[in-house]
Amino acid sequence: VQKIGLSYILFRNIHWLIESSKKSIHSSDFLTFLNYTFFFPSFLAGPIDRYNNFHYWIGNNRLTYQKSLFFAGVTRVFLGAFKTIGIVPLIIVYATDYTQFIADFPPIIALLFSLLAYSAYIYLDFSGYSDIAIGTAYMIGIKTPENFNSPYIALNISDFWKRWHITSSSF
């Protein structure tokens, strides 16, 4: 139940209701609305796409562009999988247990290294999942928005949040 992504379903439905009341949604049908609400690549953790963007990509058939989008999606999925399956398992032990560093460093330095490893872990895990979700959407011909943009180079906490959750911030 935890993995169902209810918040994303709720966000998408609220977005659709608000945009509908503003008369910003020009064309809507029940099947496209259901596909938008339960779009499987971003169902669990985003990104939160706008209905008009989703409807645009569902309704248009540009075969040559979809081929390049497909190959970009394959690349993106492999990159995300490398992050989440290849790198994350190597650092998670250090990220969640600072005693892994105790043999070689004083406790405060071990804790600092563990905090850095944890920062790398959450960065790689979230960006890897975002890459997989966006790449999967690309592979089926739907260009979803970016949801992650180098948050650790942010200048302040507000900029960090906007870079970490781009679609949530714009929501």
Side-chain angles (χ1 to χ4, degrees), residues 14-31:
I14 290 171
H15 163 72
W16 191 87
L17 287 170
I18 291 171
E19 294 300 312
S20 291
S21 70
K22 290 180 180 177
K23 308 283 190 239
S24 298
I25 294 178
H26 306 293
S27 175
S28 181
D29 60 85
F30 187 67
L31 186 58

Side-chain angles (χ1 to χ4, degrees), residues 135-149:
T136 304
Y138 283 9
M139 287 169 41
I140 58 177
I142 297 173
K143 189 169 184 183
T144 57
E146 291 295 325
N147 199 31
F148 196 74
N149 184 19

Side-chain angles (χ1 to χ4, degrees), residues 143-161:
K143 189 169 184 183
T144 57
E146 291 295 325
N147 199 31
F148 196 74
N149 184 19
S150 304
Y152 288 151
I153 64 168
L155 301 175
N156 56 46
I157 193 72
S158 175
D159 188 30
F160 175 84
W161 179 260

Side-chain angles (χ1 to χ4, degrees), residues 24 36 85 104:
S24 298
Y36 167 73
I85 298 170
D104 299 321

Side-chain angles (χ1 to χ4, degrees), residues 83-84 87-96 114-128 152 164:
K83 290 176 186 176
T84 58
I87 300 174
V88 166
L90 298 175
I91 63 172
I92 194 166
V93 174
Y94 301 102
T96 57
S114 185
L115 288 172
L116 290 172
Y118 190 76
S119 295
Y121 157 68
I122 60 172
Y123 174 87
L124 290 167
D125 200 39
F126 187 72
S127 71
Y152 288 151
W164 192 277

Side-chain angles (χ1 to χ4, degrees), residues 42-145:
S42 55
F43 185 70
L44 298 179
I48 305 168
D49 199 358
R50 303 282 181 174
Y51 180 83
N52 286 334
N53 181 62
F54 184 82
H55 188 267
Y56 172 80
W57 286 99
I58 287 286
N60 288 308
N61 186 11
R62 289 173 310 285
L63 189 58
T64 56
Y65 188 69
Q66 286 182 346
K67 286 180 184 176
S68 64
L69 196 62
F70 176 82
F71 291 113
V74 169
T75 303
R76 195 87 183 251
V77 167
F78 278 117
L79 178 63
F82 177 71
K83 290 176 186 176
T84 58
I85 298 170
I87 300 174
V88 166
L90 298 175
I91 63 172
I92 194 166
V93 174
Y94 301 102
T96 57
D97 184 11
Y98 81 98
T99 61
Q100 298 292 319
F101 294 107
I102 289 288
D104 299 321
F105 301 100
I108 193 73
I109 301 299
L111 182 61
L112 179 66
F113 284 157
S114 185
L115 288 172
L116 290 172
Y118 190 76
S119 295
Y121 157 68
I122 60 172
Y123 174 87
L124 290 167
D125 200 39
F126 187 72
S127 71
Y129 175 77
S130 292
D131 287 340
I132 292 169
I134 292 169
T136 304
Y138 283 9
M139 287 169 41
I140 58 177
I142 297 173
K143 189 169 184 183
T144 57

